[in-house]
């Protein structure tokens, strides 16, 4: 056995064994999404991962954390009362829910009107 591999093996039974690292394709299959989505989220540091050289690798704990990060909780129960405090929902869902809805111009004026052009086609710019 090469010396480098001998150092990676635990010397006693009580020492921890290195975790298995999964490829993005394996994580994507488990999540039911594309490998591109997994790699893109890892590249943007939106999901936990390990970087080995230029490759993204994931542990079982990473997979569980990815599921927790993307979990969405209901904000209202059947009766209309708040079921889950806003602090437990993901930040993206809280940001979407806190933004007020803007009224559309079609409902307030009844008709859509075209904006006048900024400049004519053959007008020279000076």
């Amino acid at each position: 056995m090469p010396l480098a591999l001998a150092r990676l093996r635990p010397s006693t039974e009580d020492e921890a064994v290195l975790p298995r690292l999964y490829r993005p394709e394996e994580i994507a299959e488990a999540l039911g999404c594309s490998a591109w989505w997994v790699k893109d989220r890892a590249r943007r540091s939106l999901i936990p991962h390990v970087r080995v050289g230029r490759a993204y690798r994931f542990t079982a704990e990473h997979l569980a954390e990815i599921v927790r990060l993307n979990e969405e909780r209901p904000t209202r129960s059947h009766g209309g009362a708040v079921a889950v405090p806003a602090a437990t929902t993901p930040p993206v869902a809280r940001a979407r829910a806190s933004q007020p809805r803007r009224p559309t111009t079609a409902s307030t004026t009844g008709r859509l009107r075209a904006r006048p052009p900024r400049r004519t086609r053959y007008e020279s710019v000076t």
Side-chain angles (χ1 to χ4, degrees):
M1 177 184 310
L3 184 59
L5 287 178
R7 278 190 248 140
L8 290 178
R9 290 188 173 250
S11 59
T12 66
E13 300 269 336
D14 297 332
E15 288 187 33
V17 178
L18 293 175
R20 182 185 188 289
L21 295 177
Y22 297 94
R23 295 185 345 261
E25 293 79 15
E26 294 170 307
I27 296 297
E29 185 178 338
L31 294 173
C33 63
S34 68
W36 179 88
W37 184 90
V38 174
K39 291 176 192 176
D40 180 60
R41 295 298 191 266
R43 179 182 55 81
R44 298 189 310 175
S45 296
L46 296 174
I47 58 174
H49 63 281
V50 174
R51 193 88 188 255
V52 181
R54 295 181 68 188
Y56 300 107
R57 297 294 184 252
F58 304 88
T59 63
E61 290 80 22
H62 290 151
L63 178 59
E65 182 66 19
I66 292 168
V67 170
R68 278 193 294 275
L69 286 172
N70 289 293
E71 181 179 37
E72 290 192 28
R73 295 282 192 173
T75 55
R76 300 220 175 254
S77 67
H78 183 65
V82 175
V84 176
T88 61
T89 57
V92 175
R94 282 197 306 267
R96 255 187 276 134
S98 65
Q99 294 175 352
R101 293 193 178 251
R102 293 181 287 168
T104 59
T105 56
S107 63
T108 57
T109 61
R111 283 183 54 178
L112 293 176
R113 292 185 312 165
R115 221 177 20 189
R118 291 185 182 173
R119 58 175 89 139
T120 60
R121 185 173 181 180
Y122 299 106
E123 182 179 84
S124 63
V125 179
T126 56

